[in-house]
Amino acid sequence: MKIAILINQSHKEHERFTTTLLALKALERGHTVIYIGLADFIYEGEKNISAHCRILTPAHELRNDREFIKFLKAAKKEKVNMKDIDVLWLRFDPTMDMINRPWAAASGVQFAQLIKKMGKLVINDPDNLVEANNKLYLENFPKAVRPKTLVTRNHEDVERFLDAQKDKIILKPLKGSGGKNVFMIDFKERQNLKQTVEAIARDGYIIAQEYLHEATKGDIRFFLLDGKPLMVDGEYAAVRRVQQENEIRSNIHQGATAEKAEITEDILKLVKQVSTQLKKDEMYLVGLDIVGDKIMEVNVFSPGALNHATELFDRDFAGAVIENLEKKVKKYYK
């Protein structure tokens, strides 16, 4: 099987990325992995789309993530026609290029749509990713599963929302990831509210959400695979991300630590309320961020932390994903 993976840029890939873990497992299972950057596509007609790619095969005998990344970054690009791949896997982060390459993410999704029209399997589905490209996607799901939310660029709207909550609120970019520009505003201490809203709004709309007090215990990153919880040998692919003291962000690369997540029946019932719609939208691999009885975010582009779940539970979650993908590709082209 030839698995093409669409990323931002090869030189920005890291050995701890979930994408690296998945690619290594694909190589281990005998597949060819083809890395494509968002700037690497070539359009020569609707049936003739190629890309300048870095190709990795099982013959390269890359034994670990460090060797993998070193080889990837040194590999010379080769032109590959997209008619020769079996699946295009979208694993890029749209927010990574917002400042320096604002055209990149939208172009990547457009090329993915064209490749889908060629009859190729594309995951997650690019047509539905157009709607799911920011945090408003969560509003498509039942009201009971999501926190109270406001989307605006006006500080007076945020002030009214804060008054209505009579408690703390969280402010963050509508389109963002990694915990960047996330702020907590206290109901009684709002003197910097206008400046905070203006700072976040420089990059677009902002989202205000009710503060959930369970957030002091961190959040849970829970993986869904093809509409079902990702589970191996009795353990769910899920980690509790616990923030540092005096820190509101639970993102791992903002200093949070990963711990085993205890998955209760209540959490499974919460997940079930969104899983059917996610499968219908053909969101193949998804990371849900859960706080208490609410889903704070639905990560559909490049959800991470699968490596932490793998290490904490000593389970081959990546292997389960690739095995499932093998069956999906076989069924798709049947």
Side-chain angles (χ1 to χ4, degrees):
M1 187 164 67
K2 292 182 178 178
I3 304 172
I5 302 178
L6 183 60
I7 58 169
N8 295 79
Q9 294 173 285
S10 293
H11 72 269
K12 292 186 177 181
E13 290 299 289
H14 191 276
E15 59 195 48
R16 295 291 292 170
F17 282 1
T18 291
T19 304
T20 304
L21 180 67
L22 294 167
L24 264 172
K25 185 57 62 173
L27 289 177
E28 183 183 308
R29 292 180 67 90
H31 305 300
T32 294
V33 177
I34 300 168
Y35 268 68
I36 306 170
L38 288 172
D40 289 334
F41 284 114
I42 313 159
Y43 177 87
E44 297 178 272
E46 59 185 21
K47 297 289 185 181
N48 188 7
I49 299 173
S50 302
H52 298 289
C53 310
R54 290 180 166 89
I55 302 173
L56 304 96
T57 73
H60 291 125
E61 296 184 347
L62 301 170
R63 293 165 293 184
N64 54 54
D65 50 16
R66 191 170 299 172
E67 286 186 7
F68 180 93
I69 290 297
K70 184 178 180 180
F71 182 91
L72 173 67
K73 292 182 178 181
K76 291 185 178 180
K77 292 182 180 180
E78 302 177 42
K79 185 178 177 182
V80 176
N81 196 307
M82 294 295 99
K83 68 179 178 57
D84 296 326
I85 67 170
D86 294 296
V87 57
L88 175 63
W89 199 341
L90 309 186
R91 289 286 307 172
F92 62 91
D93 180 353
T95 65
M96 191 180 290
D97 289 306
M98 281 178 60
I99 305 301
N100 296 324
R101 302 195 307 170
W103 49 267
S107 297
V109 172
Q110 285 181 309
F111 274 104
Q113 289 175 305
L114 291 170
I115 293 165
K116 179 185 173 184
K117 287 180 180 178
M118 290 171 59
K120 294 298 175 181
L121 174 61
V122 181
I123 54 175
N124 291 340
D125 181 78
D127 296 327
N128 289 315
L129 277 178
V130 172
E131 184 176 358
N133 71 354
N134 62 45
K135 294 176 178 64
L136 262 179
Y137 181 57
L138 181 59
E139 300 303 303
N140 293 325
F141 298 96
K143 190 174 182 180
V145 309
R146 46 189 170 87
K148 295 184 183 71
T149 298
L150 169 81
V151 176
T152 185
R153 296 186 73 249
N154 186 292
H155 80 275
E156 292 177 347
D157 297 331
V158 176
E159 191 158 1
R160 283 193 292 271
F161 182 77
L162 181 60
D163 288 336
Q165 303 314 307
K166 295 183 171 57
D167 198 354
K168 303 169 186 175
I169 63 171
I170 298 296
L171 297 180
K172 54 190 174 182
L174 179 62
K175 194 167 186 174
S177 68
K180 184 180 179 183
N181 286 338
V182 178
F183 299 91
M184 182 171 68
I185 303 296
D186 194 297
F187 176 71
K188 298 176 182 177
E189 297 178 11
R190 58 179 76 189
Q191 59 269 26
N192 295 322
L193 177 62
K194 182 177 181 181
Q195 295 94 319
T196 303
V197 169
E198 289 174 351
I200 303 173
R202 289 184 193 130
D203 294 327
Y205 278 91
I206 69 170
I207 185 167
Q209 290 180 329
E210 66 172 312
Y211 177 73
L212 302 177
H213 289 270
E214 294 93 336
T216 56
K217 303 173 185 176
D219 70 2
I220 292 176
R221 168 62 57 86
F222 188 99
F223 282 91
L224 285 172
L225 178 64
D226 215 8
K228 296 180 181 179
L230 176 54
M231 190 177 191
V232 174
D233 296 334
E235 299 289 0
Y236 292 99
V239 297
R240 179 174 291 280
R241 304 181 300 182
V242 182
Q243 61 268 50
Q244 293 180 329
E245 190 175 354
N246 299 320
E247 174 61 77
I248 63 171
R249 298 171 294 182
S250 298
N251 307 85
I252 298 294
H253 56 273
Q254 295 291 350
T257 57
E259 300 176 356
K260 286 185 177 182
E262 180 184 350
I263 303 304
T264 64
E265 283 300 317
D266 287 339
I267 290 175
L268 293 176
K269 288 177 183 177
L270 178 67
V271 170
K272 194 171 179 60
Q273 292 185 70
V274 302
S275 58
T276 301
Q277 183 64 48
L278 287 166
K279 184 170 176 60
K280 183 181 177 182
D281 290 347
E282 297 181 74
M283 297 293 114
Y284 181 67
L285 185 62
V286 175
L288 303 178
D289 292 346
I290 300 170
V291 173
D293 63 350
K294 304 292 183 185
I295 296 173
M296 302 301 291
E297 289 188 29
V298 181
N299 301 274
V300 294
F301 274 93
S302 57
L306 194 63
N307 55 331
H308 296 286
T310 297
E311 292 163 1
L312 287 166
F313 292 104
D314 192 25
R315 295 293 189 271
D316 186 9
F317 295 117
V321 173
I322 301 302
E323 183 179 357
N324 182 279
L325 182 59
E326 291 165 354
K327 295 174 182 176
K328 189 174 183 70
V329 168
K330 188 175 181 180
K331 183 178 179 180
Y332 185 83
Y333 293 108
K334 193 172 182 180

